[in-house]
Amino acid sequence: MSMKNLKVWSICFFTLSLSVPSIAQQPVNQLLKNLHGSLKMSVKEFNGTDLLSEHIFHKNLLQTKTGSWALEVKTTSPPKQRDVIEAVASFRLNSGVAKSTAVAVSFDFSKWNPKNYVLVPAAVYNSNRYRSIGNGYNPDYPKDMYYNPKVPLTISNNPRLSIEDGKASLVELQSGNMATPAMCFYSETEKKGFIVLTEQLTKLGANGLTISETAKKDSCSFSVSAPAVRKMAAGFGDFHLSGDLAPDWKQGDEVELKFRVYVFNAENIPALLKKFMKVRKSLSGLNHPRNLLPMSKTFELATNICKGNFVQVEAGSYYLPENNKNFQLGWVSGMMNTYPMLALNDKKERERVMAELDFVVTKLQGKSGYFFGGIKATGELIPEKMSPNFKPVQAMVRKNADALLWLTKHLLLLKAEGYGASIKPEWENATRNLAAAFVRTWKKDGEFGQYIVPETGEIAVYNSTGGAIVPAGLAMASDYFKEKEWMEVAANAAKFYYKRDVEKQGLTGGHCGDISQDADAESTFGFLESLMALYYYTGQKEWLDRAEVQVALGASWVFSYDPVFPPKSAIGGLKSNMAGAIWASIQNKHAAPGICTASGDYIFKLFRATGNVLYADLIRDIQHAHAEAINMPGHITTNYLIGSSMERIQLSDAEGKGSIGNFIQTRNSWTETNGMLMALEIPGIYLNVDTKKLYVFDHVNAQLLSGDGSGMILKLQNSTQYDADVSVMAETEKEKLKPMGYTAFLGWPKVKVKAGETIQVKISPSNGITVL
């Protein structure tokens, strides 16, 4: 970015141009000294990816054997804000040549403490300083991880700082490896946080972000380079030669590295997380979500696909969760895609949903009350994460948490739609028995573990946040069945996970079926579901406070900006704006459209309860990135069914440089399911009639023209190619004080806006919505 782009700050920022007789005099160094840090600018020469030499600028001029370099640094700082500096470092080769050379800005910290919490969004959590296993995707667990309450948190082979004493560490990443190009840490000793934000790329290519720690673990450096020159690139639980190359420079060549540095007071890890969410877009600026596909059209297309995927096989009758005829419970759609089908309020689909409920409770529930994780079309149970040393069939705790949550949601929806009489005792008994199983496990083990044995109820693999959604399911079941003790267990379990995982480690993980106990986005958002459920049922503000930390952790997994993809790639060719795509886990190094598997309505509920627009922006971004991934005429993504979508939005080179920006040619039911759920459970437009504040989630433009006691007049414009049926949630400040229930969407009126049409509507307390 050129210096002229800094002029937008001229009204409220002062600018300082440095001739640098001493780097230590820079404002950045003044900021860093609070953490015993200093700034270093350097030129690095390589042979391939081997570093040959590093030349450090001590003044504004630098002489190497082959050339003369000049450095200019300009900084800006908001008035009355002492915790942030924005800088542009311009490196220029004045004369000579420089072969295979990169430039770098480094933040070097002495008096480093290896207990510092280090965060790189979607890539590194708590330094990834945990035991690592395997050398590839979804590694087998060693024998010592089974039936061992003291099992240490164990991750796949990911970039990490060393857990071993006396071993130096090097984490080499490029900007495409993370949701936001940033590196952060929290110092418990100093009670301070550090965040450096940079840009995705320069004209030299993707920026490199590197963390290096000495063998004594007493100093650490955070470096941003142009371009990235890594020896090894991280794959899905392994590493491969990066193929990175530093460019050759000739006289007059120049590049600018832009960065924003924060050093601030922070009491704990949650304070760092909340600060990160607040500033994550401060360098890149606001993103630009495109209105492509109305939420109602997404719902229509995805439910039509689901209708065509109902099967009757030897095992039973159900909607296909994925692209084969086997059934998988929870996690990626099984007995989740039934919920929007039930919400259609269509007799045929309601009967199909009921048939699947019959199938699930009769074929998959074990003697303990827990469910098996899947079953083949032929009726053979599918075991999960098995070891040849242990025979009892295991199942994911996460899938059982999903089962409890969604079983209860189905019961609530049937009653809300007026079909309570059709609820079978077998469904309620199965739900009750599953909740009781979780309660017994909590009383016995003080956690829910990651894998359980459905026949006996034993925890087979302990630790992780595999039970992230359990408190939500228990809270809902407690209210439904009037079992007070279950609410107490839900609250105690949520407090346990929050303190152990979020507050102390700054991560949640082990929630996906194809990873180890790696940090992942699914557990992060799943636990937010639990915190908002407890707020709904108890009304206690403590759950909102924890939820605000949890959503900040969730935001670290979400693209905060619109990445630049290769112009000849599928995503680049569509010019898709992918801010809002969600990274999967530190093992599975790619983003995906939407939350696996949920609408994220709890983020909207948190926005409604707090008024913090950052939360509304987050769920709006997620929804719009999802639409960018949907296969539509003129917008081909899956090259499959119209309305289908898939799980890969790849900015990293984890699968090879040729994979960057290219969709995989298939469909994933779970991405279609969360699209249906977002269209169902998030209002297209939210309006507070007292404050006259309006927020639009759907793919329409809305403007408040006027409003008084008789109603509000809105102008709605649909610039997409598709007719929209926009749901509207309008309420008063008094109504806003009441937490939003799980079937609130049934009461939202809808207004039709045809493709290309602009209309005016009146929203009044007595008459609902009237088209003018």
Side-chain angles (χ1 to χ4, degrees), residues 40 89 146 153 206 249 275 281 596 615 624 701 740 743:
K40 178 177 70 180
Y146 291 89
L153 190 72
W249 297 58
K275 180 73 169 184
K281 295 185 179 184
C596 183
Y615 309 148
H624 279 67
N701 297 316
M740 193 179 91
T743 58

Side-chain angles (χ1 to χ4, degrees), residues 530-550:
S530 286
L531 296 174
M532 291 306 294
L534 285 162
Y535 172 66
Y536 172 69
Y537 286 111
T538 69
Q540 295 170 359
K541 187 178 180 295
E542 63 178 300
W543 300 114
L544 272 187
D545 294 339
R546 294 184 179 101
E548 292 203 77
V549 174
Q550 192 63 23

Side-chain angles (χ1 to χ4, degrees), residues 3 14-21 27 71-76 88:
M3 291 306 302
F14 65 85
T15 300
L16 177 63
S17 180
L18 300 173
S19 60
V20 201
L71 169 68
E72 183 183 28
V73 179
K74 291 191 176 182
T75 64
T76 56
V88 176

Side-chain angles (χ1 to χ4, degrees), residues 401 404-406 408 435 469-478 486 490 529-530 533:
L404 181 58
L405 178 84
W406 290 97
T408 311
I469 297 175
V470 176
L474 281 178
M476 295 178 72
S478 170
W486 296 357
E529 172 93 76
S530 286

